[in-house]
Amino acid sequence: MSATDILERPRADYRRITVEPVTPVIGAEIGNVDLSQPLDPRTFNEIREAIRQYRVIFFRDQQLSNDALKAFGRNFGPLTPAHPIAEGLEDHPEIWERTIDEYRVRRTHNDTLPPGRTPPRDYKGWHIDITFVANPNAYSILYGVEIPPYGGDTLFANLVEAYRGLSPQIQNLIDGLQAVHRTSGYDFGRERKPRRDGRATGPFVSLHPLVRVHPETGEKLLFLNPGTTSHIVGLKERESQALLDLLYGEVTRPEYQVRFHWRPKSLVVWDNQAVAHAGPIDYAHFELPRAVRRITTAGELPKGPDGFTSRPLEGDLFNVLG
C-alpha cells in the first residue's frame, strides 16, 4: 500500500473506534477505546485494520496495569520474553522497562565493539526491533509510565514506502540479496549477567533477506538495521557499505516518517515487520526522568522475494515464554 493508495482508498468503516491519520504515509491516533478492558472481536479487528493501513497507531490516556498491558498485547499473538539479551521485570518477564539512564549508559559503550567490527554510521538510533535473531518479533507495544513535559519523542518510518521510493533498477538489484545482522556494539559492551530464566544471552547472528515480503500483506519492504546489519553477503566491503548507506538514507527520509510526542499514559503499537523507529531521539541532551515499558509478540522467519528464508547463524530463536 503506497501513500497514494492511502489517500485514494476509502477509509475503513470504523464503528467501534475513532481513527485520525497523522500523516498521509504513516501513523494514526486511535480513540474511543479503553484498552484496560477486554476487547470484543469487532473492536480488535478495527484496531488491526488501522495498523494495516497506518503501520503505527497511537492511543492516549490509557490507564494500564502490567497485567492489562500484557492482556492487550496477547490480542496480537503470543508474547515473547522481554528481550533476547536483557531480562524483563522479575514478576512480569514479558515486560522490558527502559529508562533514560540506560540510554546514557549506552553512550559510554558506543566505542566498544567486538574484534573485527568497524563502528557503524550514525543514523540517530534508527532500527527494527531485535533483527539479530532469525525470527524478530511481529508487533511492538510501548507504554509511557513516566513521561516528561517535553523531549523524548519517537520517530517511526514506513519501510514499504522506503522500498517503493527506490528506482526499479535498484529494487531489482536488492531483491535477491541477503545481509548479516549481529548483536550490536552496545550489546557486546554491556556485562551479560546470567538470566533468571536460564536463556542464553548471546551473541546472536542471523542471515536475513535485504528485502522482506510482509507475511500478511505481501508487500515488499526494506529490511536492514544501522549498527546491527554488518554487511551484505556476496559484495565487496566497499560495495556493501555504499549500498547500505544508500538504503539507510532511504529509510530515514522525512517524507516516510511520523513523529510521536509522548504524554503520560500514552501507548503505541507498531508493525515491527514494516516499521523502523528511533527514540528517544534527543537522549544525548536529555536530563528529565523518563520510563517506558515494552512488550513484543512472536514473529516468524522473514522471507525474501526470491523465497529465501531467514536463518540463525549463531544463537537461539526468539521463542515465546513457555
Side-chain angles (χ1 to χ4, degrees), residues 131-142:
T131 63
F132 50 79
V133 297
N135 58 333
N137 59 291
Y139 292 92
S140 295
I141 301 170
L142 198 61

Side-chain angles (χ1 to χ4, degrees), residues 55-120:
R55 316 291 182 186
V56 55
I57 55 176
F58 312 119
F59 299 84
R60 300 290 192 183
D61 302 317
Q62 300 292 326
Q63 183 67 50
L64 298 176
S65 66
N66 288 334
D67 286 330
L69 176 62
K70 293 190 298 183
F72 170 67
R74 290 190 183 100
N75 287 288
F76 296 89
L79 300 184
T80 68
H83 193 275
I85 296 174
E87 292 251 56
L89 300 177
E90 186 167 0
D91 294 335
H92 299 275
E94 306 92 342
I95 297 177
W96 193 25
E97 182 168 283
R98 306 299 310 278
T99 68
I100 199 66
D101 291 335
E102 294 177 17
Y103 287 93
R104 297 191 186 106
V105 170
R106 182 175 183 173
R107 287 183 311 204
T108 68
H109 291 304
N110 276 346
D111 296 328
T112 307
L113 291 166
R117 291 289 306 280
T118 57

Side-chain angles (χ1 to χ4, degrees), residues 227-239:
T228 300
T229 302
S230 62
H231 65 281
I232 300 172
V233 174
L235 300 188
K236 296 178 181 178
E237 182 177 358
R238 65 179 183 275
E239 296 170 338

